[in-house]
Every structure is written in structure tokens, then in C-alpha cells.
Amino acid sequence: MHEHAPKSKLELTRNQALVFDALADAGGPLTAYAILDALREEGMRAPLQVYRALTKLMNVGLVHRLESLNAFVVCRHPECSSHETAAFAICETCGQVDEFAPDEAVSLLQSWASDHKFALARTTIELRGECSSCHK
Amino acid sequence: MHEHAPKSKLELTRNQALVFDALADAGGPLTAYAILDALREEGMRAPLQVYRALTKLMNVGLVHRLESLNAFVVCRHPECSSHETAAFAICETCGQVDEFAPDEAVSLLQSWASDHKFALARTTIELRGECSSCHK
DNA sequence: TCTCGAATGTAATATTATAACGCCTCTGAA
DNA sequence: TTCAGAGGCGTTATAATATTACATTCGAGA
């Protein structure tokens, strides 16, 4: 029996599912090359396969890119629509990332953009520091 | 007459001054390798020379790193102390960057951090979109 | 059936960043 | 005066991140 599932918008291909699962299993951020290494046994062989899957996953809002880490995490709020305005608190000690939705801060940034006639496409908000578990 | 100027805290070395001037002259973001290419004639030869100067310039608050671009810009408010909380609006059409100080938004993020016992060290806030000159 | 868009596999390469080494020049304390 | 430490410099090599280019496959409609 081959795989003939009809593709809904959220169907993932094999590579996309592999990459998503690897990220989800990690429970934290991974670089593209860390994902690649985790998936060698599943047949993933080249960086491009990972990057392509990541691009798709980001487009559908299942994965975020952490710019200040050059790494990727699964979205904590995949049903929510505001994937363009998520924020992340990144612990520099343990590496854990906490995603949150800073709605008011984003509103203020949108106001700034609007005041300056800047057509805002997406925002990157990343906090660096030490999480409560680490600096206790 | 050799250079014997007594070193105050803001004295820059030759390499640091070269890198700062290259960035200032560019009037916009440059990557480390773009800076290197701009300074070949001044004797800059290796990436590390540029990265070392950039690190110092960032430490003294004269230069910012744009995480989402892997590039660097001169600080627009070098006298101001809050170099850890600047924000940037990056035009994806023309590449120009507008630095601003989103004090209220930063306060909200600081509140979030405080509420979550997150010891905030610095924030990255970068807006991507199209500037007024470009989408007119 | 035909064609189109999306995804794949692979090799090669481009871009960004750091490690490791030794040397030089200040400065300040002994 | 010496000398030890901190910071900067120059160089080579390499690591880490990301993309280009090209050929192929697959499935969904017209």
C-alpha cells in the first residue's frame, strides 16, 4: 500500500515531516546542520534538503527562525495566526527558548511603522539573557 | 612624529577607525566581508581583523549588528546609553536601515522578562518591510 | 495525455565566522 | 628598571551557515 493521501494544505511531505519531528523532539532550537545530522539515518543527506523543508515549514507557520542564533524552533502556537510577530526569550545559559506573543509591544512597533510610512512585513523580537531556572 | 596619543577610553586603533569609517561612509549596513573588501587598499587583509574591530566597536556602542542581515551599521545615537535596546527598520527593497529607540515597547518587553524572572541582557528588535521612499 | 507546479537528489560553491599561533606595545606594579 | 598582563595585530587554516545550478520525479488538474 503506497502513500496516496490527498494533500490538504497542511499535509507535509516526508522530508518536511522528518524535519518538523526532529525539531519537535529536540524541544529547543536546532541549527539546520544539527537537524541534518539528526536525520542522516532517515536518509537526509544534504543541507539543501533541510533548508527546503525549513522554508516550507516557516511558510506554513509551523517553525520559526531565530535570527540571533541562526537556528530554528517549532512554533508553540501553530493555530494562532500571528506568526509574523512572535517573540522569543533565549536563555544564554541553558539554550532554552520561550516563545511568547508581545501584542502590546508589537502594536507600538506597528504604530511606529505606520507613523513613518514603513510597510511592515514582519518583526524579529528576541530577548537574550538568563532564564529563571538558570540564574536562580 | 610617531603616534603617541594617550589612550582614552574612546581612542580607536587604526583598524578600528578604518572599520568605523568604512561603515560610516557606506551610510547603510555592510557585511564584515564587504568591509574587508572596502579596506583592502588600506592594508586590511583578513576577516579576523574586521571581526575584531567590529567586536570592539560594538562593545563601545559605536556599531550595531543586524542579526537578520548578518551585517553591521554605525549607531545613530552614539551618545545615548541604551545601545542594548535599539530597534531597526530594514527596507527590503533599498536596503536602508532606520535606527530608532522604541522605549515603550522595550519597557513592555522588560516587564515580560521581569514577570517571567528572565534576566534580560539585551533585546533584538528588527522590522522588515518597505520604507516610505520605496513603496510610494 | 499533457503540462504545470512543487518537491526531490546531488554536487559544487558561496558566505559568514572562529580557532590557533606568535609577535608587538603599552601600562602598572615590584 | 624590569617584567608581567592585557589588549591589539597579522597570518593561516578551518568551521559553520546558506545558496546556485541542474536534472529528475510526482501528483493534480485541463
Side-chain angles (χ1 to χ4, degrees):
Chain A
M1 184 85 74
H2 293 213
E3 300 174 24
H4 279 304
K7 286 222 181 128
S8 92
K9 288 209 167 128
L10 288 181
E11 268 325 317
L12 298 181
T13 64
R14 169 173 163 85
N15 282 356
Q16 290 159 12
L18 283 172
V19 168
F20 180 82
D21 289 345
L23 264 186
D25 290 351
L30 291 181
T31 66
Y33 280 76
I35 294 169
L36 175 58
D37 287 341
L39 295 177
R40 294 262 183 214
E41 299 194 344
E42 326 292 336
M44 200 69 80
R45 289 149 181 260
L48 195 45
Q49 296 175 290
V50 174
Y51 280 109
R52 288 198 278 226
L54 285 170
T55 299
K56 180 68 189 303
L57 291 167
M58 287 189 291
N59 285 342
V60 302
L62 289 174
V63 163
H64 294 289
R65 176 185 173 83
L66 299 174
E67 300 287 357
S68 65
L69 241 38
N70 292 329
F72 305 85
V73 284
V74 294
C75 180
R76 261 192 51 194
H77 315 106
E79 21 292 321
C80 155
S81 58
S82 60
H83 301 294
E84 313 307 338
T85 58
F88 304 90
I90 301 168
C91 177
E92 297 184 316
T93 299
C94 70
Q96 280 313 291
V97 170
D98 193 354
E99 176 179 348
F100 63 105
D103 294 333
E104 292 179 70
V106 167
S107 293
L108 289 168
L109 295 172
Q110 285 167 341
S111 298
W112 182 95
S114 155
D115 290 349
H116 292 74
K117 309 264 188 288
F118 185 86
L120 184 55
R122 68 190 159 293
T123 68
T124 296
I125 301 176
E126 298 179 14
L127 314 189
R128 308 295 297 257
E130 203 171 44
C131 73
S132 57
S133 314
C134 285
H135 69 76
K136 185 147 287 175
Chain B
M1 182 88 72
H2 293 214
E3 301 175 23
H4 280 304
K7 285 225 180 129
S8 93
K9 289 209 167 129
L10 287 183
E11 266 327 316
L12 298 181
T13 64
R14 168 172 161 84
N15 282 356
Q16 290 158 12
L18 283 171
V19 168
F20 179 83
D21 289 344
L23 264 185
D25 289 350
L30 291 180
T31 67
Y33 281 75
I35 294 169
L36 176 57
D37 286 341
L39 294 177
R40 296 262 183 212
E41 300 194 344
E42 325 294 335
M44 200 69 79
R45 290 152 181 262
L48 198 43
Q49 296 175 288
V50 174
Y51 281 108
R52 288 198 276 225
L54 286 169
T55 298
K56 179 68 189 303
L57 291 167
M58 287 189 291
N59 286 340
V60 302
L62 288 174
V63 162
H64 293 289
R65 176 183 173 84
L66 300 174
E67 299 288 356
S68 66
L69 241 39
N70 292 329
F72 304 84
V73 284
V74 294
C75 180
R76 260 192 51 194
H77 316 105
E79 24 290 322
C80 156
S81 58
S82 60
H83 300 294
E84 313 308 337
T85 59
F88 304 90
I90 301 167
C91 177
E92 297 185 315
T93 300
C94 69
Q96 280 313 290
V97 170
D98 193 354
E99 176 180 348
F100 63 105
D103 293 333
E104 293 180 70
V106 167
S107 294
L108 290 167
L109 295 172
Q110 284 167 342
S111 299
W112 181 95
S114 157
D115 291 348
H116 292 73
K117 309 261 188 287
F118 184 86
L120 184 56
R122 66 191 162 295
T123 69
T124 296
I125 300 176
E126 297 179 13
L127 314 189
R128 308 296 297 260
E130 203 170 45
C131 73
S132 57
S133 314
C134 284
H135 69 76
K136 186 148 288 178

